[in-house]
Amino acid sequence: MQNKNMLMIPGPTPVPESVLLAMAQHPIGHRGQDFNQIISEISQNLKWLHQTKEDVLMLTASGTGAMEAAIINFLSSGDSVLIGNNGKFGERWVNVARAFGLKVDEIRAEWGEPLDPEMFKDKLMNDKSKKIKAVIVTHSETSTGVLNDLETINKYTKEHGEALIIVDAVTSLGTVNLPIDKWELDVVASGAQKGYMIPPGLGFVSVSQKAWKAYQNSNLPKFYLDLGAYKKAINNNSFPFTPPVNLIYGLQIALRIMKAEGLAQMFTRHQKLAQATRIAIKTLGLNLLATDESASYAITAVSSSKIDITNICYVMKEKFNIILAAGQDHMKGKIFRIGHLGFICERDILTTITCLETTLQLLGDTSIVSGKAVSEALKFLP
Amino acid sequence: MQNKNMLMIPGPTPVPESVLLAMAQHPIGHRGQDFNQIISEISQNLKWLHQTKEDVLMLTASGTGAMEAAIINFLSSGDSVLIGNNGKFGERWVNVARAFGLKVDEIRAEWGEPLDPEMFKDKLMNDKSKKIKAVIVTHSETSTGVLNDLETINKYTKEHGEALIIVDAVTSLGTVNLPIDKWELDVVASGAQKGYMIPPGLGFVSVSQKAWKAYQNSNLPKFYLDLGAYKKAINNNSFPFTPPVNLIYGLQIALRIMKAEGLAQMFTRHQKLAQATRIAIKTLGLNLLATDESASYAITAVSSSKIDITNICYVMKEKFNIILAAGQDHMKGKIFRIGHLGFICERDILTTITCLETTLQLLGDTSIVSGKAVSEALKFLP
């Protein structure tokens, strides 16, 4: 059935109708006072969402553009960086850093496993000459549904004293507590089509005072993603280059929706949705890629030893119009991923579980007890 | 009066309601077949609009991002380039090129004057050792309403034989004939919020086979704006990074509207709108910054020796809700600019002229003969 699709992928995520309708307004000039006022409101609310007093800069770019900006503004050619790589987006950090001539030392873990903070500790403690200029970590690894222990890795980075901590919070911002100022995170990158509940097209970067000092010494070439220009402009509630005006309309509304819910409530909601999803998956006899201890609240990755993953996704789409995300790279055909971040409520999880249960039955899984997965999930959705 | 604004600025330009409503649809996944089909249609139509057989690449970026991509993918650090600079956007080319360590030789003209192609000829003819790797030109200079003689500059570049020709077509694409394959233009950058009739947030770059050869030797660091990745992806009707899905919905509709009008009709319409605007401005006793011979069809820049420019813009906005663009940099307060590109019809020009006439009268200009400017304009709007 056309137009009946339900997005349960980790981005783009569903968008509230009030946001969509805001985006359907005629654009206004981005150099006028009316627009400045919108930016003024958004800037304040972005600081609230990021739990920071510093400016959060907005780029006309997808998340990868924000990640690139997070590197090229604060580092120089030949700088040594320590990058956590346990999935597609950790790998992307490595690729971006190498493209700009950084010396990359990787801390690796298998896809589905969390990064081991102690491995960061070893490298950082042994760096007596303070060669490591930045520790770069993906908080919630979208490709596997693993939440890395950023708090502990950051603690060791702080003990090192020199290195910046640069974070991909693309699927963690708004889904799990990320107190940027309290933890003194230096650079945090994120993207619109995730917890923000708006369509893709905007990247965000928060920058600490320590990072701005590093900016002064960065020699990597930049113009479009030169955050100094964005910082200067945002002080006047403006942009150095034309911003995506209609997406900004949507962001204004989405941030109001978030503020009305409250940070603590947002985090609790995502936690519950993740827990309900996970127990339902287990009850259905499917396998969770990430352990309970390292599970992201935003995404659940699922494998199966009994039913072909590709068939599950196919039936979910064709029969129920529910879109799940496939595995990426070598995980293709081995896992599917359920996105449950942003504009997702309890009903969406129950719907997904119910349809997944029926899908498995249709695919010949006789072990399923009808209704059991939903009733288990409900234990986490009081 | 709220929500009654009429945008007569050179971007964002007005957006058709069918485009706005398309953008208000729920996003779909950018890795699915439904999205691939949209991209397939858009790709074909972008080739039609660009008059090229080559792929036109789409970036989640504003026009400046597309300009940067047009430089960093085809040149190397220390390369010599010849850049035309006769306005804000010529100057931006210079700034981008310098930020990436290129050796810039500028061909300059005053703001409001066109670039002199013979000056390009001299430099190119004297470059016996073929050191000049690219000639970089702004086609329609948005800051002044000057259309540079790209055809002749390009002819001299072709006689040079080695240099690429790189073009900023941000306000010329869709407003004036720009036959990319026929003229063998190597790299042409443009942006959404102009002739495309969609809100800002997408940049476009067309790339010739000659430019792709240069891409192989380019050593400038890049990742997010690495056009090789976009080229590889567009062959599968896809993107390397998340595209702005909702803006893509709008682009699909806008390109259909353009195709229904036809290229020749689009160019004729813009020419008539420019001519009507220009004769009306003269009739009102105001001054045109660009001569008739070098006038852009997209923007008309206006100065006045009798009434303060800032007051004119103020009354136009406050009384008639018509938004004109101010001058940029040293032209601030010295000119205003009327954008008449994209989704603009004859009625919009007549409306603007009528209100401008009344504004001048309100500001005490007793030389105005009521109705004369409109009747002069009508000579070009049969």
Side-chain angles (χ1 to χ4, degrees), chain B residues 236-257:
Chain B
N236 299 314
N237 295 311
S238 187
F239 289 81
F241 315 118
T242 314
V245 172
N246 291 52
L247 204 48
I248 295 279
Y249 289 156
L251 177 61
Q252 183 181 31
I253 304 300
L255 285 167
R256 288 181 189 168
I257 295 174

Side-chain angles (χ1 to χ4, degrees), chain B residues 60-320:
Chain B
T60 308
S62 52
T64 303
M67 289 169 73
E68 180 169 314
I71 282 189
I72 64 173
N73 282 278
F74 309 107
L75 296 165
S76 294
S77 184
D79 273 358
S80 292
V81 293
L82 195 56
I83 302 185
N85 178 357
N86 61 332
K88 175 86 176 167
F89 294 93
E91 194 176 284
R92 183 158 297 174
W93 276 128
V94 172
N95 291 337
V96 175
R98 292 217 170 109
F100 287 90
L102 304 187
K103 253 176 83 182
V104 174
D105 193 3
E106 289 180 68
I107 304 279
R108 300 188 73 138
E110 289 299 312
W111 287 38
E113 301 287 329
L115 296 169
D116 180 0
E118 299 310 308
M119 291 171 73
F120 285 85
K121 183 182 181 182
D122 285 350
K123 296 272 187 185
L124 288 162
M125 293 310 236
N126 286 327
D127 180 35
K128 302 293 180 202
S129 56
K130 307 294 179 191
K131 280 199 173 153
I132 300 173
K133 297 299 174 197
V135 173
I136 304 178
V137 180
T138 306
H139 192 198
S140 166
E141 178 50 77
T142 307
S143 63
T144 61
V146 164
L147 189 74
N148 286 310
D149 183 359
L150 174 63
E151 187 171 7
T152 306
I153 295 169
N154 178 55
K155 196 184 75 181
Y156 294 141
T157 308
K158 290 286 167 287
E159 285 169 13
H160 178 271
E162 290 290 324
L164 296 172
I165 179 116
I166 299 176
V167 179
D168 167 355
V170 167
T171 51
S172 73
L173 195 88
T175 70
V176 66
N177 191 29
L178 187 65
I180 287 179
D181 280 2
K182 190 178 164 199
W183 289 2
E184 298 176 31
L185 301 174
D186 293 305
V187 186
V188 177
S190 58
Q193 73 279 15
K194 311 287 179 174
Y196 289 92
M197 308 189 294
I198 63 175
L202 267 171
F204 303 86
V205 190
S206 80
V207 183
S208 73
Q209 288 300 326
K210 182 178 173 183
W212 281 121
K213 275 182 202 132
Y215 170 84
Q216 300 297 335
N217 300 318
S218 161
N219 74 4
L220 289 172
K222 50 197 161 267
F223 189 87
Y224 181 63
L225 296 176
D226 184 340
L227 294 180
Y230 291 84
K231 169 75 172 163
K232 204 173 148 190
I234 202 73
N235 290 337
N236 299 314
N237 295 311
S238 187
F239 289 81
F241 315 118
T242 314
V245 172
N246 291 52
L247 204 48
I248 295 279
Y249 289 156
L251 177 61
Q252 183 181 31
I253 304 300
L255 285 167
R256 288 181 189 168
I257 295 174
M258 286 191 229
K259 279 202 88 169
E261 182 175 15
L263 279 183
Q265 289 78 359
M266 279 163 60
F267 303 148
T268 306
R269 171 169 58 86
H270 282 94
Q271 185 180 18
K272 281 184 185 178
L273 299 181
Q275 287 170 328
T277 303
R278 293 177 63 83
I279 199 164
I281 292 298
K282 283 183 209 168
T283 307
L284 292 170
L286 299 170
N287 311 314
L288 294 161
L289 187 64
T291 62
D292 287 346
E293 294 70 34
S294 64
S296 165
Y297 294 173
I299 308 115
T300 300
V302 179
S303 66
S304 170
S305 46
K306 53 183 184 178
I307 306 278
D308 183 75
I309 285 295
T310 311
N311 288 345
I312 295 175
C313 292
Y314 180 80
V315 175
M316 285 290 277
K317 177 173 194 295
E318 292 303 315
K319 185 153 182 68
F320 300 115

Side-chain angles (χ1 to χ4, degrees), chain A residues 303-334:
Chain A
S303 67
S304 170
S305 47
K306 53 182 185 177
I307 307 277
D308 184 76
I309 285 295
T310 311
N311 287 345
I312 295 174
C313 291
Y314 179 82
V315 174
M316 285 289 278
K317 177 172 193 297
E318 292 304 315
K319 184 150 184 69
F320 300 115
N321 304 284
I322 294 179
I323 315 297
L324 303 173
Q328 292 171 292
D329 297 348
H330 68 276
M331 296 304 259
K332 206 168 179 170
K334 293 185 184 160

Side-chain angles (χ1 to χ4, degrees), chain B residues 44 46-56 178-181 185 206-208:
Chain B
Q44 290 308 311
L46 284 176
K47 290 179 189 183
W48 164 82
L49 177 65
H50 285 73
Q51 304 185 53
T52 180
K53 285 179 191 157
E54 304 298 330
D55 288 316
V56 178
L178 187 65
I180 287 179
D181 280 2
L185 301 174
S206 80
V207 183
S208 73

